[in-house]
Amino acid sequence: MTTRRRFVLTLLPATALAVAARVTSAQAARLAENDPQAIALGYKHDATKVDAKKFPRFAAGQICSNCQLYQGKPSEEWAPCSAFAGKLVNAKGWCSAWVKKAA
Ligand code: SF4
């Protein structure tokens, strides 16, 4: 077996495991709407589903991707949020901690 072939055969399983672990952690880290902290802050994956009577601060157009606490790019569907450490929130979501992103 050539050194190159041995190198590729060694590298492939490690790469596959790294990719699988990344996908798994990204899925596992999504904030659930029934998470106690999410419930307390009225978080919804879809801002149009926010109970505006219960959260009168909500205004149409406020979504995670235009919130100061959203830590992803506007193009990312799921990204970290400093209000929910270790979890990913949806770019089109909302919670009562929403703060307008600085221009
Ligand atoms: Fe979305 Fe902002 Fe609430 Fe985080 S703090 S969940 S980014 S609205």
Side-chain angles (χ1 to χ4, degrees):
M1 188 182 301
T2 65
T3 304
R4 184 173 165 199
R5 177 179 270 178
R6 189 175 303 140
F7 174 75
V8 170
L9 290 175
T10 303
L11 190 64
L12 278 177
T15 304
L17 282 175
V19 169
R22 188 171 168 196
V23 169
T24 302
S25 71
Q27 290 170 340
R30 287 181 181 180
L31 176 65
E33 289 183 349
N34 63 359
D35 178 290
Q37 189 180 352
I39 292 171
L41 293 177
Y43 172 80
K44 295 288 180 193
H45 296 314
D46 178 351
T48 64
K49 304 279 193 292
V50 171
D51 182 347
K53 287 183 181 165
K54 193 171 177 184
F55 297 98
R57 279 192 63 230
F58 173 73
Q62 295 178 351
I63 56 174
C64 290
S65 65
N66 62 23
C67 171
Q68 186 68 41
L69 304 181
Y70 190 73
Q71 298 176 338
K73 296 174 191 151
S75 58
E76 288 180 289
E77 187 180 2
W78 294 87
C81 160
S82 37
F84 298 100
K87 304 283 176 150
L88 302 176
V89 298
N90 193 290
K92 294 179 180 168
W94 183 89
C95 86
S96 59
W98 185 89
V99 178
K100 185 178 181 180
K101 186 175 280 207

